[in-house]
Every structure is written in C-alpha cells, then in structure tokens.
C-alpha cells in the first residue's frame, strides 16, 4: 500500500531532510511532515519543497498528538545521532536516541492510523573486535556487545523496536542497518576524519572499511518508505577498502599512533573540534567491520549504485581533496637513488634496469644519471 501521510524524524540532518525532500517530490504522497528539535538549514528547507516542518521534540508525548492529528500512516525514524558534540553531549545524545525512540514507538502503538514503520539503525550493533567473522549477516550475533555510546544506543533501540513488533504485529517494521556513510556532501565522522591533513591511524592495524554513498542511503530509505518490505537489512556498498588505501586515495598523510595512546588522541581531536570520533568508532579503526548485503539485494530488491571505492572517490573529488605531498616527486627521488646504488653495487640491479651493452669494444658502459629534485612539499 502506497503511503499517504508520512512523518520523518530528524529532518535537520542530512538523511532525514534529504528523505523528506524526495518524498515531497512524489505526487502520489499527499502530505509529508518533517519533525526535529531544530529547524533545517535554509538550503535544506528549500530542497524540502512542500514538506511541512513541525518543531517538536520526540522525547515529548506531544509527538503522539502530531501523529493522530495529521492521521500519519507511515513513520520514518531517521534521527539516530552518533555525534555527542552536535547533540549537546553524550547524555543528551542518549536521551534523544533512546528516550526519543521510546516515546515515538509509544505514539505509534497507540495510533489507529500508522500502518508502516521504518527505523534507521547502524551496523555498529555488531561491535568491533579481533574475534569478528569476515562478514556479518543479519542473523550473526556480535562477539562483544558495544559497551557504550552510539552503538549501545542502537542496540537498545533495536530491542525496543522488536518489542513494538510483538505488541503491534499488524504494523510492518523495516530496520535498516547502515554502514558508515560517505559522499561529496556527507557530514559524518568518517568524512571529517579523511579530510584531516594528517590522519591518525592505529599502529600495527589496517582495518577493512565498508562504506555507502549518501545518495544510495537516501534511495534505500525512500524504497523502504514507499513499499512494504519488513525485516532487518544490512545496507552497505559492494567491496571494501583497507584503511591505508583510503588514506592514500584521499591524498592524506597517515600518522601511526600506538594503541594505548588512541583514546588520548581521540580526546584531543574532539576538544579541538577536528573530528568527533566515539570509542566504538575508534575500535572500528582497529579491527574494521564488513557486512553481507545479500538480503538487501534479494529480498529488499536494492543494488547500490556506487561501490565502496567509487563512493570514496566521489567524496574525494567532491571535496576537492588535494595530496598533502607530491608523491610522484618523492617516488622519482627514490628511483634515482636506487638506480645509482644498483650500478655501483654489482649483483643488486633492479628489474628492467640492467647495464647497457658497451657502445664500442673496451669502452665502459655509460651510467645514466638524473637530477634529484628538491625535497619540498607542494603547498
């Protein structure tokens, strides 16, 4: 059944606002309501078109009145937050995530009109540890439950959603577990992390990174809103990137940090407002996490347009990230030094760079030399 009146939470954010804009452009939907505690930006409000903004805190029972008055038949809960600084601190973020979800589910349970619920979740519910499987399916139990933060909020939220499904089995529920989002306009912790001129990495680790383009994320949310597709789905792009590969593709400089100093570096970056990385995201940089998206393609019927590599390259191009160092120049210097050493030390020749045949009998071979460029990074 196609939706008639849709309520979207978190429209001040990129996903919630972008979804409201897409739904507002669909003529088959009669009305789109966007709720949040803060108004969307001017640009987002313009993109939302005919969507109506209602300033309401979902932690307040007033959200139930909004649903009943407007006769909402589809609710999309897209306001899950993973940024404590943007939410007013960790305690406030927990209240918005957990308490807000509880109030929203209570309002949906009491409603006589709500017939579909879509919940944005995260693959952080699987945690990150050295004992993780190569890929997580929707049925895989995490080896270690997240001890706190954004990931723990997501685990609690999914528990409340399952309880809601038992109390209201007549309302189909779609839970979407997103991997980390990236894209030209992505305002995420990963986007800020790879935009740093010097990227801190954990010494001795090279995590596997799976990403999803923000446009693919919006397309998944739109499909879940307009069609009956109940269930839990991992949402991620095909392929992975090693963290070291991602740093190089972004033209950044990696700064290896010993593991005991990682929490200290995380606090420094948060206080300097460079990047707000939570402890669970720090563990992700240690061990990585990859999810299986077979169910997304076969049951949900969605194939991501961008692979992980393509999504990351689009982020780099869209933000015009330039290499911090002229790597080609340094490679040229290294080759020159290696060639000279190869000619000086017999038996240590590089492949493809052997000595030339003598031009005349008795004449020693000429040694090719090249000028060493100055070791000055490009500004």
């Amino acid at each position: 059944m196609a939706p008639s009146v849709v309520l979207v939470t978190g429209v001040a954010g990129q996903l919630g606002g972008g979804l409201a804009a897409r739904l507002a452009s669909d003529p088959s939907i009669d009305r789109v309501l966007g709720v949040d505690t803060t108004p969307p930006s001017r640009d987002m409000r313009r993109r939302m078109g005919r969507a109506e903004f209602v300033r309401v805190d979902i932690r307040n029972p007033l959200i139930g009145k909004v649903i009943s008055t407007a006769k909402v038949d589809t609710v999309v809960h897209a306001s899950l937050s993973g940024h404590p600084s943007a939410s007013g601190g960790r305690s406030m973020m927990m209240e918005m995530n957990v308490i807000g979800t509880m109030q929203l589910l209570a309002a949906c349970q009491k409603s006589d009109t709500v017939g579909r619920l879509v919940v944005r979740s995260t693959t952080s519910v699987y945690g990150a540890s050295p004992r993780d499987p190569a890929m997580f399916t929707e049925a895989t139990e995490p080896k270690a439950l997240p001890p706190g933060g954004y990931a723990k909020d997501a685990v609690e939220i999914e528990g409340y959603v399952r309880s809601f499904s038992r109390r209201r089995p007549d309302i189909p529920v779609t839970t979407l577990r997103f991997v980390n989002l990236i894209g030209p306009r992505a305002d995420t912790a990963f986007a800020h992390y790879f935009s740093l001129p010097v990227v801190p990495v954990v010494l001795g680790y090279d995590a596997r990174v799976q990403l999803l383009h923000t446009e693919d994320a919006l397309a998944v949310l739109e499909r879940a809103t307009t069609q009956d597709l109940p269930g839990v789905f991992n949402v991620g792009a095909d392929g992975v990137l090693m963290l070291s590969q991602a740093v190089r593709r972004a033209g950044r400089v990696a700064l290896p940090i010993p593991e005991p100093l990682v929490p200290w570096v995380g606090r420094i970056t948060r206080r300097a407002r460079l990047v707000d990385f939570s402890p669970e995201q720090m563990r992700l940089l240690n061990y990585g996490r990859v999810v299986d998206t077979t169910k997304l393609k076969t049951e949900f019927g969605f194939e991501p347009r961008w692979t992980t590599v393509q999504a990351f390259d689009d982020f780099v191009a869209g933000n015009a990230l330039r290499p911090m160092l002229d790597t080609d120049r340094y490679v040229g210097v290294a080759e020159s030094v290696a060639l000279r050493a190869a000619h000086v030390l017999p038996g240590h020749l590089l492949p493809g760079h052997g000595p030339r045949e003598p031009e005349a009998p008795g004449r020693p071979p000429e040694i090719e030399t090249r000028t060493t460029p100055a070791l000055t990074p490009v500004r």
Side-chain angles (χ1 to χ4, degrees), residues 177-197:
R177 293 173 177 170
F178 288 97
V179 300
N180 290 91
L181 304 182
I182 203 75
R185 294 189 295 180
D187 183 20
T188 62
F190 256 55
H192 297 164
Y193 172 71
F194 286 112
S195 297
L196 294 173

Side-chain angles (χ1 to χ4, degrees), residues 251-253 322-330 376-378:
R252 307 293 93 178
V253 177
R322 297 181 178 181
M324 300 303 297
L325 296 174
D326 189 348
T327 54
D328 292 338
R329 178 175 296 180
Y330 286 101
T376 55
V378 176

Side-chain angles (χ1 to χ4, degrees), residues 6 17 19 21 24 77-78 129 195 199 203 212 215 268 274 306-308 314 329 340 342 348 357 368-369:
V6 182
L19 177 64
H77 186 29
S129 78
S195 297
V199 178
L203 182 65
L212 181 71
E215 292 298 320
I268 293 295
L274 296 175
W306 284 268
T307 65
T308 290
D314 195 36
R329 178 175 296 180
R340 290 183 179 183
H348 292 78
E357 292 295 330
E368 180 183 1
T369 60

Side-chain angles (χ1 to χ4, degrees), residues 86-148:
S87 304
R90 166 62 192 142
S91 59
M92 185 63 69
M93 184 185 80
M94 187 273 290
E95 284 190 18
M96 291 298 297
N97 287 339
V98 179
I99 307 302
T101 300
M102 292 175 63
Q103 287 288 357
L104 181 66
L105 293 177
C108 293
Q109 181 178 339
K110 296 176 182 177
S111 174
D112 296 328
T113 59
V114 173
R116 182 182 299 142
L117 174 64
V118 179
V119 179
R120 171 197 174 188
S121 188
T122 170
T123 55
S124 295
V125 296
Y126 299 119
S129 78
R131 299 181 292 118
D132 288 345
M135 300 181 75
F136 283 98
T137 67
E138 289 82 356
T140 306
E141 293 293 332
K143 296 296 183 181
L145 289 174

Side-chain angles (χ1 to χ4, degrees), residues 271-291:
R271 290 175 182 174
R273 298 183 181 274
L274 296 175
V275 59
D276 190 1
F277 255 126
S278 61
E280 60 268 18
Q281 289 167 325
M282 288 292 186
R283 284 190 292 275
L284 180 61
L285 296 181
N286 278 42
Y287 309 113
R289 181 172 53 242
V290 179
V291 297

